[in-house]
Each structure stands twice: as C-alpha cells, then as structure tokens.
mmCIF file with all atom_site columns, all heavy atoms in Angstrom:
data_model
loop_
_atom_site.group_PDB
_atom_site.id
_atom_site.type_symbol
_atom_site.label_atom_id
_atom_site.label_alt_id
_atom_site.label_comp_id
_atom_site.label_asym_id
_atom_site.label_entity_id
_atom_site.label_seq_id
_atom_site.pdbx_PDB_ins_code
_atom_site.Cartn_x
_atom_site.Cartn_y
_atom_site.Cartn_z
_atom_site.occupancy
_atom_site.B_iso_or_equiv
_atom_site.pdbx_formal_charge
_atom_site.auth_seq_id
_atom_site.auth_comp_id
_atom_site.auth_asym_id
_atom_site.auth_atom_id
_atom_site.pdbx_PDB_model_num
ATOM 1   N N   . SER P 1 1  ? 4.070  101.286 159.211 1.00 44.00 ? 1  SER P N   1
ATOM 2   C CA  . SER P 1 1  ? 4.189  102.729 159.071 1.00 44.00 ? 1  SER P CA  1
ATOM 3   C C   . SER P 1 1  ? 5.455  103.059 158.297 1.00 44.00 ? 1  SER P C   1
ATOM 4   O O   . SER P 1 1  ? 5.451  103.944 157.418 1.00 44.00 ? 1  SER P O   1
ATOM 5   C CB  . SER P 1 1  ? 4.223  103.373 160.450 1.00 44.00 ? 1  SER P CB  1
ATOM 6   O OG  . SER P 1 1  ? 4.471  104.755 160.338 1.00 44.00 ? 1  SER P OG  1
ATOM 7   N N   . GLY P 1 2  ? 6.530  102.366 158.575 1.00 49.00 ? 2  GLY P N   1
ATOM 8   C CA  . GLY P 1 2  ? 7.783  102.641 157.865 1.00 49.00 ? 2  GLY P CA  1
ATOM 9   C C   . GLY P 1 2  ? 7.671  102.288 156.394 1.00 49.00 ? 2  GLY P C   1
ATOM 10  O O   . GLY P 1 2  ? 8.200  103.038 155.544 1.00 49.00 ? 2  GLY P O   1
ATOM 11  N N   . LEU P 1 3  ? 6.946  101.223 156.085 1.00 53.00 ? 3  LEU P N   1
ATOM 12  C CA  . LEU P 1 3  ? 6.774  100.850 154.705 1.00 53.00 ? 3  LEU P CA  1
ATOM 13  C C   . LEU P 1 3  ? 5.931  101.880 153.946 1.00 53.00 ? 3  LEU P C   1
ATOM 14  O O   . LEU P 1 3  ? 6.228  102.237 152.817 1.00 53.00 ? 3  LEU P O   1
ATOM 15  C CB  . LEU P 1 3  ? 6.145  99.476  154.618 1.00 53.00 ? 3  LEU P CB  1
ATOM 16  C CG  . LEU P 1 3  ? 5.911  98.855  153.236 1.00 53.00 ? 3  LEU P CG  1
ATOM 17  C CD1 . LEU P 1 3  ? 7.271  98.760  152.532 1.00 53.00 ? 3  LEU P CD1 1
ATOM 18  C CD2 . LEU P 1 3  ? 5.218  97.532  153.299 1.00 53.00 ? 3  LEU P CD2 1
ATOM 19  N N   . CYS P 1 4  ? 4.892  102.369 154.598 1.00 48.00 ? 4  CYS P N   1
ATOM 20  C CA  . CYS P 1 4  ? 4.068  103.399 153.979 1.00 48.00 ? 4  CYS P CA  1
ATOM 21  C C   . CYS P 1 4  ? 4.881  104.670 153.727 1.00 48.00 ? 4  CYS P C   1
ATOM 22  O O   . CYS P 1 4  ? 4.736  105.280 152.664 1.00 48.00 ? 4  CYS P O   1
ATOM 23  C CB  . CYS P 1 4  ? 2.890  103.713 154.874 1.00 48.00 ? 4  CYS P CB  1
ATOM 24  S SG  . CYS P 1 4  ? 1.672  102.385 154.997 1.00 48.00 ? 4  CYS P SG  1
ATOM 25  N N   . GLN P 1 5  ? 5.775  105.025 154.663 1.00 48.00 ? 5  GLN P N   1
ATOM 26  C CA  . GLN P 1 5  ? 6.586  106.230 154.469 1.00 48.00 ? 5  GLN P CA  1
ATOM 27  C C   . GLN P 1 5  ? 7.576  106.008 153.354 1.00 48.00 ? 5  GLN P C   1
ATOM 28  O O   . GLN P 1 5  ? 7.839  106.911 152.533 1.00 48.00 ? 5  GLN P O   1
ATOM 29  C CB  . GLN P 1 5  ? 7.318  106.555 155.765 1.00 48.00 ? 5  GLN P CB  1
ATOM 30  C CG  . GLN P 1 5  ? 6.403  107.045 156.904 1.00 48.00 ? 5  GLN P CG  1
ATOM 31  C CD  . GLN P 1 5  ? 7.170  107.324 158.166 1.00 48.00 ? 5  GLN P CD  1
ATOM 32  O OE1 . GLN P 1 5  ? 8.377  107.073 158.225 1.00 48.00 ? 5  GLN P OE1 1
ATOM 33  N NE2 . GLN P 1 5  ? 6.471  107.750 159.171 1.00 48.00 ? 5  GLN P NE2 1
ATOM 34  N N   . ALA P 1 6  ? 8.120  104.812 153.261 1.00 51.00 ? 6  ALA P N   1
ATOM 35  C CA  . ALA P 1 6  ? 9.098  104.511 152.197 1.00 51.00 ? 6  ALA P CA  1
ATOM 36  C C   . ALA P 1 6  ? 8.448  104.593 150.844 1.00 51.00 ? 6  ALA P C   1
ATOM 37  O O   . ALA P 1 6  ? 9.104  104.910 149.845 1.00 51.00 ? 6  ALA P O   1
ATOM 38  C CB  . ALA P 1 6  ? 9.722  103.157 152.413 1.00 51.00 ? 6  ALA P CB  1
ATOM 39  N N   . LEU P 1 7  ? 7.152  104.291 150.735 1.00 56.00 ? 7  LEU P N   1
ATOM 40  C CA  . LEU P 1 7  ? 6.458  104.260 149.433 1.00 56.00 ? 7  LEU P CA  1
ATOM 41  C C   . LEU P 1 7  ? 5.709  105.574 149.192 1.00 56.00 ? 7  LEU P C   1
ATOM 42  O O   . LEU P 1 7  ? 5.023  105.702 148.184 1.00 56.00 ? 7  LEU P O   1
ATOM 43  C CB  . LEU P 1 7  ? 5.486  103.095 149.406 1.00 56.00 ? 7  LEU P CB  1
ATOM 44  C CG  . LEU P 1 7  ? 6.113  101.712 149.336 1.00 56.00 ? 7  LEU P CG  1
ATOM 45  C CD1 . LEU P 1 7  ? 5.068  100.664 149.391 1.00 56.00 ? 7  LEU P CD1 1
ATOM 46  C CD2 . LEU P 1 7  ? 6.968  101.583 148.094 1.00 56.00 ? 7  LEU P CD2 1
ATOM 47  N N   . ALA P 1 8  ? 5.806  106.518 150.111 1.00 50.00 ? 8  ALA P N   1
ATOM 48  C CA  . ALA P 1 8  ? 5.073  107.755 149.942 1.00 50.00 ? 8  ALA P CA  1
ATOM 49  C C   . ALA P 1 8  ? 5.620  108.538 148.761 1.00 50.00 ? 8  ALA P C   1
ATOM 50  O O   . ALA P 1 8  ? 6.790  108.491 148.447 1.00 50.00 ? 8  ALA P O   1
ATOM 51  C CB  . ALA P 1 8  ? 5.227  108.615 151.215 1.00 50.00 ? 8  ALA P CB  1
ATOM 52  N N   . PRO P 1 9  ? 4.774  109.265 148.040 1.00 44.00 ? 9  PRO P N   1
ATOM 53  C CA  . PRO P 1 9  ? 5.245  110.052 146.905 1.00 44.00 ? 9  PRO P CA  1
ATOM 54  C C   . PRO P 1 9  ? 6.166  111.153 147.357 1.00 44.00 ? 9  PRO P C   1
ATOM 55  O O   . PRO P 1 9  ? 6.114  111.608 148.498 1.00 44.00 ? 9  PRO P O   1
ATOM 56  C CB  . PRO P 1 9  ? 3.955  110.602 146.304 1.00 44.00 ? 9  PRO P CB  1
ATOM 57  C CG  . PRO P 1 9  ? 2.956  110.582 147.425 1.00 44.00 ? 9  PRO P CG  1
ATOM 58  C CD  . PRO P 1 9  ? 3.321  109.411 148.251 1.00 44.00 ? 9  PRO P CD  1
ATOM 59  N N   . PRO P 1 10 ? 7.081  111.565 146.494 1.00 41.00 ? 10 PRO P N   1
ATOM 60  C CA  . PRO P 1 10 ? 8.029  112.662 146.909 1.00 41.00 ? 10 PRO P CA  1
ATOM 61  C C   . PRO P 1 10 ? 7.282  113.934 147.225 1.00 41.00 ? 10 PRO P C   1
ATOM 62  O O   . PRO P 1 10 ? 6.222  114.200 146.664 1.00 41.00 ? 10 PRO P O   1
ATOM 63  C CB  . PRO P 1 10 ? 8.917  112.794 145.657 1.00 41.00 ? 10 PRO P CB  1
ATOM 64  C CG  . PRO P 1 10 ? 8.089  112.250 144.538 1.00 41.00 ? 10 PRO P CG  1
ATOM 65  C CD  . PRO P 1 10 ? 7.263  111.170 145.123 1.00 41.00 ? 10 PRO P CD  1
ATOM 66  N N   . SER P 1 11 ? 7.875  114.736 148.090 1.00 38.00 ? 11 SER P N   1
ATOM 67  C CA  . SER P 1 11 ? 7.262  115.997 148.468 1.00 38.00 ? 11 SER P CA  1
ATOM 68  C C   . SER P 1 11 ? 7.338  116.990 147.354 1.00 38.00 ? 11 SER P C   1
ATOM 69  O O   . SER P 1 11 ? 8.246  116.927 146.520 1.00 38.00 ? 11 SER P O   1
ATOM 70  C CB  . SER P 1 11 ? 7.974  116.551 149.694 1.00 38.00 ? 11 SER P CB  1
ATOM 71  O OG  . SER P 1 11 ? 9.299  116.885 149.389 1.00 38.00 ? 11 SER P OG  1
ATOM 72  N N   . PRO P 1 12 ? 6.404  117.967 147.291 1.00 33.00 ? 12 PRO P N   1
ATOM 73  C CA  . PRO P 1 12 ? 6.445  118.943 146.199 1.00 33.00 ? 12 PRO P CA  1
ATOM 74  C C   . PRO P 1 12 ? 7.723  119.751 146.177 1.00 33.00 ? 12 PRO P C   1
ATOM 75  O O   . PRO P 1 12 ? 8.129  120.282 145.155 1.00 33.00 ? 12 PRO P O   1
ATOM 76  C CB  . PRO P 1 12 ? 5.184  119.801 146.476 1.00 33.00 ? 12 PRO P CB  1
ATOM 77  C CG  . PRO P 1 12 ? 4.319  118.968 147.341 1.00 33.00 ? 12 PRO P CG  1
ATOM 78  C CD  . PRO P 1 12 ? 5.262  118.119 148.161 1.00 33.00 ? 12 PRO P CD  1
ATOM 79  N N   . GLU P 1 13 ? 8.392  119.885 147.368 1.00 34.00 ? 13 GLU P N   1
ATOM 80  C CA  . GLU P 1 13 ? 9.584  120.724 147.427 1.00 34.00 ? 13 GLU P CA  1
ATOM 81  C C   . GLU P 1 13 ? 10.804 119.973 146.878 1.00 34.00 ? 13 GLU P C   1
ATOM 82  O O   . GLU P 1 13 ? 11.844 120.562 146.622 1.00 34.00 ? 13 GLU P O   1
ATOM 83  C CB  . GLU P 1 13 ? 9.881  121.079 148.860 1.00 34.00 ? 13 GLU P CB  1
ATOM 84  C CG  . GLU P 1 13 ? 8.806  122.016 149.480 1.00 34.00 ? 13 GLU P CG  1
ATOM 85  C CD  . GLU P 1 13 ? 7.564  121.262 149.950 1.00 34.00 ? 13 GLU P CD  1
ATOM 86  O OE1 . GLU P 1 13 ? 7.629  120.036 150.032 1.00 34.00 ? 13 GLU P OE1 1
ATOM 87  O OE2 . GLU P 1 13 ? 6.561  121.920 150.201 1.00 34.00 ? 13 GLU P OE2 1
ATOM 88  N N   . ALA P 1 14 ? 10.713 118.641 146.706 1.00 33.00 ? 14 ALA P N   1
ATOM 89  C CA  . ALA P 1 14 ? 11.890 117.874 146.287 1.00 33.00 ? 14 ALA P CA  1
ATOM 90  C C   . ALA P 1 14 ? 12.291 118.234 144.881 1.00 33.00 ? 14 ALA P C   1
ATOM 91  O O   . ALA P 1 14 ? 11.443 118.404 144.010 1.00 33.00 ? 14 ALA P O   1
ATOM 92  C CB  . ALA P 1 14 ? 11.574 116.377 146.374 1.00 33.00 ? 14 ALA P CB  1
ATOM 93  N N   . GLY P 1 15 ? 13.581 118.330 144.662 1.00 31.00 ? 15 GLY P N   1
ATOM 94  C CA  . GLY P 1 15 ? 14.083 118.636 143.328 1.00 31.00 ? 15 GLY P CA  1
ATOM 95  C C   . GLY P 1 15 ? 14.037 117.368 142.429 1.00 31.00 ? 15 GLY P C   1
ATOM 96  O O   . GLY P 1 15 ? 13.781 116.274 142.881 1.00 31.00 ? 15 GLY P O   1
ATOM 97  N N   . ASP P 1 16 ? 14.288 117.567 141.173 1.00 33.00 ? 16 ASP P N   1
ATOM 98  C CA  . ASP P 1 16 ? 14.260 116.489 140.208 1.00 33.00 ? 16 ASP P CA  1
ATOM 99  C C   . ASP P 1 16 ? 15.566 115.715 140.296 1.00 33.00 ? 16 ASP P C   1
ATOM 100 O O   . ASP P 1 16 ? 16.663 116.280 140.074 1.00 33.00 ? 16 ASP P O   1
ATOM 101 C CB  . ASP P 1 16 ? 14.090 117.073 138.795 1.00 33.00 ? 16 ASP P CB  1
ATOM 102 C CG  . ASP P 1 16 ? 13.892 115.989 137.748 1.00 33.00 ? 16 ASP P CG  1
ATOM 103 O OD1 . ASP P 1 16 ? 14.102 114.815 138.115 1.00 33.00 ? 16 ASP P OD1 1
ATOM 104 O OD2 . ASP P 1 16 ? 13.518 116.311 136.635 1.00 33.00 ? 16 ASP P OD2 1
ATOM 105 N N   . ILE P 1 17 ? 15.501 114.434 140.582 1.00 31.00 ? 17 ILE P N   1
ATOM 106 C CA  . ILE P 1 17 ? 16.719 113.645 140.712 1.00 31.00 ? 17 ILE P CA  1
ATOM 107 C C   . ILE P 1 17 ? 17.569 113.654 139.437 1.00 31.00 ? 17 ILE P C   1
ATOM 108 O O   . ILE P 1 17 ? 18.766 113.576 139.454 1.00 31.00 ? 17 ILE P O   1
ATOM 109 C CB  . ILE P 1 17 ? 16.359 112.194 141.119 1.00 31.00 ? 17 ILE P CB  1
ATOM 110 C CG1 . ILE P 1 17 ? 17.633 111.426 141.511 1.00 31.00 ? 17 ILE P CG1 1
ATOM 111 C CG2 . ILE P 1 17 ? 15.620 111.454 140.043 1.00 31.00 ? 17 ILE P CG2 1
ATOM 112 C CD1 . ILE P 1 17 ? 17.330 110.095 142.153 1.00 31.00 ? 17 ILE P CD1 1
ATOM 113 N N   . THR P 1 18 ? 16.921 113.777 138.265 1.00 31.00 ? 18 THR P N   1
ATOM 114 C CA  . THR P 1 18 ? 17.631 113.721 137.029 1.00 31.00 ? 18 THR P CA  1
ATOM 115 C C   . THR P 1 18 ? 18.526 114.945 136.838 1.00 31.00 ? 18 THR P C   1
ATOM 116 O O   . THR P 1 18 ? 19.492 114.886 136.068 1.00 31.00 ? 18 THR P O   1
ATOM 117 C CB  . THR P 1 18 ? 16.670 113.649 135.860 1.00 31.00 ? 18 THR P CB  1
ATOM 118 O OG1 . THR P 1 18 ? 15.884 114.834 135.798 1.00 31.00 ? 18 THR P OG1 1
ATOM 119 C CG2 . THR P 1 18 ? 15.779 112.436 135.953 1.00 31.00 ? 18 THR P CG2 1
ATOM 120 N N   . SER P 1 19 ? 18.270 116.003 137.555 1.00 30.00 ? 19 SER P N   1
ATOM 121 C CA  . SER P 1 19 ? 19.038 117.192 137.375 1.00 30.00 ? 19 SER P CA  1
ATOM 122 C C   . SER P 1 19 ? 20.481 117.045 137.845 1.00 30.00 ? 19 SER P C   1
ATOM 123 O O   . SER P 1 19 ? 21.327 117.851 137.509 1.00 30.00 ? 19 SER P O   1
ATOM 124 C CB  . SER P 1 19 ? 18.409 118.390 138.136 1.00 30.00 ? 19 SER P CB  1
ATOM 125 O OG  . SER P 1 19 ? 18.458 118.124 139.549 1.00 30.00 ? 19 SER P OG  1
ATOM 126 N N   . HIS P 1 20 ? 20.789 116.009 138.568 1.00 32.00 ? 20 HIS P N   1
ATOM 127 C CA  . HIS P 1 20 ? 22.122 115.796 139.064 1.00 32.00 ? 20 HIS P CA  1
ATOM 128 C C   . HIS P 1 20 ? 23.028 115.194 137.995 1.00 32.00 ? 20 HIS P C   1
ATOM 129 O O   . HIS P 1 20 ? 24.243 115.177 138.186 1.00 32.00 ? 20 HIS P O   1
ATOM 130 C CB  . HIS P 1 20 ? 22.091 114.850 140.281 1.00 32.00 ? 20 HIS P CB  1
ATOM 131 C CG  . HIS P 1 20 ? 21.437 115.516 141.484 1.00 32.00 ? 20 HIS P CG  1
ATOM 132 N ND1 . HIS P 1 20 ? 22.172 116.205 142.425 1.00 32.00 ? 20 HIS P ND1 1
ATOM 133 C CD2 . HIS P 1 20 ? 20.154 115.619 141.820 1.00 32.00 ? 20 HIS P CD2 1
ATOM 134 C CE1 . HIS P 1 20 ? 21.321 116.683 143.338 1.00 32.00 ? 20 HIS P CE1 1
ATOM 135 N NE2 . HIS P 1 20 ? 20.109 116.337 143.019 1.00 32.00 ? 20 HIS P NE2 1
ATOM 136 N N   . TRP P 1 21 ? 22.473 114.641 136.880 1.00 32.00 ? 21 TRP P N   1
ATOM 137 C CA  . TRP P 1 21 ? 23.367 114.055 135.903 1.00 32.00 ? 21 TRP P CA  1
ATOM 138 C C   . TRP P 1 21 ? 22.884 114.256 134.456 1.00 32.00 ? 21 TRP P C   1
ATOM 139 O O   . TRP P 1 21 ? 23.462 113.695 133.526 1.00 32.00 ? 21 TRP P O   1
ATOM 140 C CB  . TRP P 1 21 ? 23.621 112.605 136.158 1.00 32.00 ? 21 TRP P CB  1
ATOM 141 C CG  . TRP P 1 21 ? 22.383 111.740 136.080 1.00 32.00 ? 21 TRP P CG  1
ATOM 142 C CD1 . TRP P 1 21 ? 21.806 111.250 134.968 1.00 32.00 ? 21 TRP P CD1 1
ATOM 143 C CD2 . TRP P 1 21 ? 21.613 111.257 137.178 1.00 32.00 ? 21 TRP P CD2 1
ATOM 144 N NE1 . TRP P 1 21 ? 20.735 110.483 135.278 1.00 32.00 ? 21 TRP P NE1 1
ATOM 145 C CE2 . TRP P 1 21 ? 20.605 110.487 136.612 1.00 32.00 ? 21 TRP P CE2 1
ATOM 146 C CE3 . TRP P 1 21 ? 21.710 111.415 138.574 1.00 32.00 ? 21 TRP P CE3 1
ATOM 147 C CZ2 . TRP P 1 21 ? 19.673 109.858 137.405 1.00 32.00 ? 21 TRP P CZ2 1
ATOM 148 C CZ3 . TRP P 1 21 ? 20.794 110.789 139.342 1.00 32.00 ? 21 TRP P CZ3 1
ATOM 149 C CH2 . TRP P 1 21 ? 19.767 110.048 138.752 1.00 32.00 ? 21 TRP P CH2 1
ATOM 150 N N   . VAL P 1 22 ? 21.859 115.091 134.241 1.00 32.00 ? 22 VAL P N   1
ATOM 151 C CA  . VAL P 1 22 ? 21.348 115.314 132.910 1.00 32.00 ? 22 VAL P CA  1
ATOM 152 C C   . VAL P 1 22 ? 21.346 116.803 132.655 1.00 32.00 ? 22 VAL P C   1
ATOM 153 O O   . VAL P 1 22 ? 21.111 117.616 133.575 1.00 32.00 ? 22 VAL P O   1
ATOM 154 C CB  . VAL P 1 22 ? 19.927 114.764 132.752 1.00 32.00 ? 22 VAL P CB  1
ATOM 155 C CG1 . VAL P 1 22 ? 19.450 114.928 131.346 1.00 32.00 ? 22 VAL P CG1 1
ATOM 156 C CG2 . VAL P 1 22 ? 19.879 113.301 133.141 1.00 32.00 ? 22 VAL P CG2 1
ATOM 157 N N   . SER P 1 23 ? 21.588 117.206 131.420 1.00 30.00 ? 23 SER P N   1
ATOM 158 C CA  . SER P 1 23 ? 21.646 118.590 131.083 1.00 30.00 ? 23 SER P CA  1
ATOM 159 C C   . SER P 1 23 ? 20.301 119.268 131.334 1.00 30.00 ? 23 SER P C   1
ATOM 160 O O   . SER P 1 23 ? 19.251 118.625 131.308 1.00 30.00 ? 23 SER P O   1
ATOM 161 C CB  . SER P 1 23 ? 22.006 118.737 129.614 1.00 30.00 ? 23 SER P CB  1
ATOM 162 O OG  . SER P 1 23 ? 21.029 118.143 128.805 1.00 30.00 ? 23 SER P OG  1
ATOM 163 N N   . PRO P 1 24 ? 20.246 120.587 131.572 1.00 31.00 ? 24 PRO P N   1
ATOM 164 C CA  . PRO P 1 24 ? 19.009 121.276 131.873 1.00 31.00 ? 24 PRO P CA  1
ATOM 165 C C   . PRO P 1 24 ? 17.926 121.051 130.799 1.00 31.00 ? 24 PRO P C   1
ATOM 166 O O   . PRO P 1 24 ? 16.756 120.921 131.075 1.00 31.00 ? 24 PRO P O   1
ATOM 167 C CB  . PRO P 1 24 ? 19.416 122.767 131.933 1.00 31.00 ? 24 PRO P CB  1
ATOM 168 C CG  . PRO P 1 24 ? 20.849 122.697 132.302 1.00 31.00 ? 24 PRO P CG  1
ATOM 169 C CD  . PRO P 1 24 ? 21.432 121.480 131.629 1.00 31.00 ? 24 PRO P CD  1
ATOM 170 N N   . GLY P 1 25 ? 18.325 120.927 129.553 1.00 33.00 ? 25 GLY P N   1
ATOM 171 C CA  . GLY P 1 25 ? 17.336 120.690 128.474 1.00 33.00 ? 25 GLY P CA  1
ATOM 172 C C   . GLY P 1 25 ? 16.645 119.380 128.654 1.00 33.00 ? 25 GLY P C   1
ATOM 173 O O   . GLY P 1 25 ? 15.492 119.202 128.208 1.00 33.00 ? 25 GLY P O   1
ATOM 174 N N   . CYS P 1 26 ? 17.303 118.406 129.241 1.00 36.00 ? 26 CYS P N   1
ATOM 175 C CA  . CYS P 1 26 ? 16.701 117.094 129.434 1.00 36.00 ? 26 CYS P CA  1
ATOM 176 C C   . CYS P 1 26 ? 15.801 117.001 130.660 1.00 36.00 ? 26 CYS P C   1
ATOM 177 O O   . CYS P 1 26 ? 15.048 116.052 130.809 1.00 36.00 ? 26 CYS P O   1
ATOM 178 C CB  . CYS P 1 26 ? 17.805 116.001 129.512 1.00 36.00 ? 26 CYS P CB  1
ATOM 179 S SG  . CYS P 1 26 ? 18.515 115.619 127.934 1.00 36.00 ? 26 CYS P SG  1
ATOM 180 N N   . GLN P 1 27 ? 15.947 117.980 131.538 1.00 36.00 ? 27 GLN P N   1
ATOM 181 C CA  . GLN P 1 27 ? 15.162 117.915 132.811 1.00 36.00 ? 27 GLN P CA  1
ATOM 182 C C   . GLN P 1 27 ? 13.650 117.994 132.523 1.00 36.00 ? 27 GLN P C   1
ATOM 183 O O   . GLN P 1 27 ? 12.857 117.554 133.317 1.00 36.00 ? 27 GLN P O   1
ATOM 184 C CB  . GLN P 1 27 ? 15.599 119.056 133.731 1.00 36.00 ? 27 GLN P CB  1
ATOM 185 C CG  . GLN P 1 27 ? 16.999 118.905 134.211 1.00 36.00 ? 27 GLN P CG  1
ATOM 186 C CD  . GLN P 1 27 ? 17.394 120.101 135.095 1.00 36.00 ? 27 GLN P CD  1
ATOM 187 O OE1 . GLN P 1 27 ? 16.574 120.687 135.738 1.00 36.00 ? 27 GLN P OE1 1
ATOM 188 N NE2 . GLN P 1 27 ? 18.698 120.380 135.115 1.00 36.00 ? 27 GLN P NE2 1
ATOM 189 N N   . ARG P 1 28 ? 13.297 118.577 131.401 1.00 32.00 ? 28 ARG P N   1
ATOM 190 C CA  . ARG P 1 28 ? 11.874 118.712 131.110 1.00 32.00 ? 28 ARG P CA  1
ATOM 191 C C   . ARG P 1 28 ? 11.317 117.455 130.485 1.00 32.00 ? 28 ARG P C   1
ATOM 192 O O   . ARG P 1 28 ? 10.094 117.337 130.260 1.00 32.00 ? 28 ARG P O   1
ATOM 193 C CB  . ARG P 1 28 ? 11.655 119.894 130.118 1.00 32.00 ? 28 ARG P CB  1
ATOM 194 C CG  . ARG P 1 28 ? 11.976 121.250 130.753 1.00 32.00 ? 28 ARG P CG  1
ATOM 195 C CD  . ARG P 1 28 ? 11.606 122.396 129.804 1.00 32.00 ? 28 ARG P CD  1
ATOM 196 N NE  . ARG P 1 28 ? 12.362 122.345 128.583 1.00 32.00 ? 28 ARG P NE  1
ATOM 197 C CZ  . ARG P 1 28 ? 13.560 122.935 128.455 1.00 32.00 ? 28 ARG P CZ  1
ATOM 198 N NH1 . ARG P 1 28 ? 14.104 123.587 129.505 1.00 32.00 ? 28 ARG P NH1 1
ATOM 199 N NH2 . ARG P 1 28 ? 14.247 122.893 127.307 1.00 32.00 ? 28 ARG P NH2 1
ATOM 200 N N   . ARG P 1 29 ? 12.177 116.502 130.145 1.00 35.00 ? 29 ARG P N   1
ATOM 201 C CA  . ARG P 1 29 ? 11.744 115.200 129.605 1.00 35.00 ? 29 ARG P CA  1
ATOM 202 C C   . ARG P 1 29 ? 12.125 114.119 130.551 1.00 35.00 ? 29 ARG P C   1
ATOM 203 O O   . ARG P 1 29 ? 12.888 114.351 131.492 1.00 35.00 ? 29 ARG P O   1
ATOM 204 C CB  . ARG P 1 29 ? 12.375 115.010 128.212 1.00 35.00 ? 29 ARG P CB  1
ATOM 205 C CG  . ARG P 1 29 ? 12.189 116.175 127.261 1.00 35.00 ? 29 ARG P CG  1
ATOM 206 C CD  . ARG P 1 29 ? 12.882 115.824 125.927 1.00 35.00 ? 29 ARG P CD  1
ATOM 207 N NE  . ARG P 1 29 ? 12.812 116.933 125.004 1.00 35.00 ? 29 ARG P NE  1
ATOM 208 C CZ  . ARG P 1 29 ? 13.758 117.890 124.926 1.00 35.00 ? 29 ARG P CZ  1
ATOM 209 N NH1 . ARG P 1 29 ? 14.752 117.877 125.767 1.00 35.00 ? 29 ARG P NH1 1
ATOM 210 N NH2 . ARG P 1 29 ? 13.621 118.858 124.048 1.00 35.00 ? 29 ARG P NH2 1
ATOM 211 N N   . SER P 1 30 ? 11.673 112.920 130.281 1.00 41.00 ? 30 SER P N   1
ATOM 212 C CA  . SER P 1 30 ? 12.097 111.788 131.142 1.00 41.00 ? 30 SER P CA  1
ATOM 213 C C   . SER P 1 30 ? 13.527 111.467 130.835 1.00 41.00 ? 30 SER P C   1
ATOM 214 O O   . SER P 1 30 ? 14.083 111.647 129.729 1.00 41.00 ? 30 SER P O   1
ATOM 215 C CB  . SER P 1 30 ? 11.228 110.552 130.805 1.00 41.00 ? 30 SER P CB  1
ATOM 216 O OG  . SER P 1 30 ? 11.630 109.989 129.578 1.00 41.00 ? 30 SER P OG  1
ATOM 217 N N   . LEU P 1 31 ? 14.207 110.997 131.896 1.00 41.00 ? 31 LEU P N   1
ATOM 218 C CA  . LEU P 1 31 ? 15.615 110.613 131.752 1.00 41.00 ? 31 LEU P CA  1
ATOM 219 C C   . LEU P 1 31 ? 15.782 109.518 130.697 1.00 41.00 ? 31 LEU P C   1
ATOM 220 O O   . LEU P 1 31 ? 16.709 109.567 129.902 1.00 41.00 ? 31 LEU P O   1
ATOM 221 C CB  . LEU P 1 31 ? 16.103 110.094 133.114 1.00 41.00 ? 31 LEU P CB  1
ATOM 222 C CG  . LEU P 1 31 ? 17.509 109.460 133.159 1.00 41.00 ? 31 LEU P CG  1
ATOM 223 C CD1 . LEU P 1 31 ? 18.560 110.468 132.745 1.00 41.00 ? 31 LEU P CD1 1
ATOM 224 C CD2 . LEU P 1 31 ? 17.795 108.899 134.528 1.00 41.00 ? 31 LEU P CD2 1
#
C-alpha cells in the first residue's frame, strides 16, 4: 500500500514543482 501511494500521480491541487526555481515564463514549458 505504501509503495502504491508513493507512486500515485500528484493531486490536481498540487503546484508545479518547477515554479520554485524557474521563471514564470518557463512554467508553461518543461524544465
């Protein structure tokens, strides 16, 4: 069960991890 949770896709509410170190213009593209 723990492994399944660890591999579960991110929730829709989760923010984009790239936004923490990439400019806003880059958030619409892949890091």
Side-chain angles (χ1 to χ4, degrees):
S1 175
L3 183 59
C4 292
Q5 291 177 359
L7 292 175
S11 64
E13 294 80 13
D16 187 349
I17 189 170
T18 63
S19 65
H20 292 267
W21 61 81
V22 184
S23 62
C26 284
Q27 294 178 28
R28 293 186 296 272
R29 308 178 184 91
S30 75
L31 172 62

